[in-house]
Amino acid sequence: MSSSASGFSSCCLQTFTWSGTPTGTETKLAANDAYVTGDNKDAAVLFIHDLFGWRYNNIRLLADHYAREADVTVYVPDFFGGWVADHKLVEDERFDLIDLPKMAKLNSREIRGPEMVACAKALKAEHGFQRLGAIGFCYGGWAVCHLASKERGEKLVDAISFGHPSWLVQEDIANLTVPIQLLAPEIDPSFTPELKKYTFATLLDLNLPFEYVHYPAIVHGSLVRGSEKLEKEREAMAAAKNSAVAWFRRLLH
């Protein structure tokens, strides 16, 4: 088990260009629109977005970092059927102006799970990638576990990583079959202390390779959309990015 690098070097922080312009392009993956970045022909990462959707600038910038620094091709499909959250409303906590129950219903496990499986299959069967990882934050957390579940009956991904997952249940952890990295903020009403303890104990029982990275005083969501002006959040975002990069460099090459 590892912990967050609170003493992260300033040079690494400078390379974490949270503000910037994504460098990838838009394409199709299976039947879904997708953002793609990177040019590795053998190793890919399927990046499952959070509440803000596949067009969210931070997600695309992270995808660019993963592609460049982990030497992989990264795909970010749209798993919300074109729906994109107004992140300004979310940041301002104007949830009354966003129909989250309807969004959840339209993007349930039953609806989007098969699309995620189809995208993972397409990356290996149609695009020819030999090694495939998956990473997800918030909504994407349960999703990467879905891809790595023994219930699939086949190996879709070789390694997964998630941060501050939502919709995660104990069965998602109990059914895992591949190495997993957990990027876990301390303050997280979705990934509760009880669920964290269950996860740690279960992964030990499963005897799977795993890495648990704890971020003290960091709140749910901050690893993807924290404030660059707050030192702790800025360091956590950079540290999480580097942890994911190191994880996929080690397991996909």
Side-chain angles (χ1 to χ4, degrees):
M1 185 176 73
S2 59
S3 59
S4 65
S6 57
F8 220 43
S9 65
S10 59
C11 65
C12 289
L13 293 177
Q14 290 170 356
T15 64
F16 193 77
T17 52
W18 200 245
S19 297
T21 302
T23 58
T25 59
E26 294 187 3
T27 185
K28 282 282 189 180
L29 180 62
N32 297 62
D33 291 326
Y35 175 78
V36 61
T37 179
D39 57 9
N40 191 302
K41 303 300 183 183
D42 297 316
V45 170
L46 183 61
F47 190 168
I48 302 181
H49 55 71
D50 69 351
L51 179 65
F52 294 100
W54 75 298
R55 291 187 182 276
Y56 186 37
N57 201 56
N58 289 8
I59 293 292
R60 294 190 174 195
L61 288 172
L62 269 178
D64 290 345
H65 277 286
Y66 297 156
R68 181 173 62 252
E69 298 171 32
D71 186 21
V72 293
T73 299
V74 182
Y75 285 80
V76 187
D78 172 20
F79 290 122
F80 283 170
W83 186 89
V84 179
D86 185 332
H87 67 269
K88 185 63 168 61
L89 292 178
V90 177
E91 289 172 349
D92 291 342
E93 298 187 358
R94 293 304 310 274
F95 300 118
D96 57 310
L97 299 180
I98 301 176
D99 193 344
L100 291 179
K102 180 179 180 181
M103 171 268 177
K105 182 177 180 180
L106 292 176
N107 300 291
S108 66
R109 289 173 176 251
E110 292 74 20
I111 293 174
R112 301 303 174 190
E115 293 182 9
M116 297 167 185
V117 170
C119 284
K121 287 183 175 181
L123 287 173
K124 285 194 172 182
E126 297 173 21
H127 293 266
F129 291 104
Q130 299 300 307
R131 302 284 290 174
L132 177 61
I135 188 168
F137 295 87
C138 191
Y139 176 86
W142 73 267
V144 297
C145 292
H146 177 72
L147 294 175
S149 174
K150 64 183 180 183
E151 293 181 346
R152 302 281 71 75
E154 59 183 315
K155 186 176 183 180
L156 298 179
V157 293
D158 299 288
I160 64 173
S161 174
F162 70 61
H164 42 77
S166 60
W167 294 13
L168 193 72
V169 295
Q170 291 185 357
E171 288 76 11
D172 292 325
I173 300 300
N175 288 330
L176 288 174
T177 59
V178 302
I180 176 172
Q181 179 187 65
L182 305 94
L183 308 173
E186 176 189 3
I187 307 165
D188 192 341
S190 295
F191 197 28
T192 63
E194 292 76 19
L195 188 52
K196 289 174 180 175
K197 292 177 181 178
Y198 173 84
T199 297
F200 191 88
T202 301
L203 291 177
L204 287 175
D205 288 340
L206 291 173
N207 200 28
L208 288 172
F210 75 95
E211 179 178 85
Y212 190 104
V213 191
H214 177 68
Y215 300 90
I218 298 302
V219 301
H220 178 94
S222 292
L223 302 183
V224 174
R225 53 181 183 269
S227 172
E228 292 180 307
K229 297 179 180 179
L230 299 176
E231 182 179 4
K232 275 190 171 293
E233 291 190 1
R234 186 175 67 249
E235 288 183 352
M237 289 188 293
K241 182 268 293 184
N242 280 281
S243 289
V245 165
W247 182 249
F248 288 128
R249 285 194 71 89
R250 179 160 64 90
L251 291 169
L252 298 183
H253 296 291

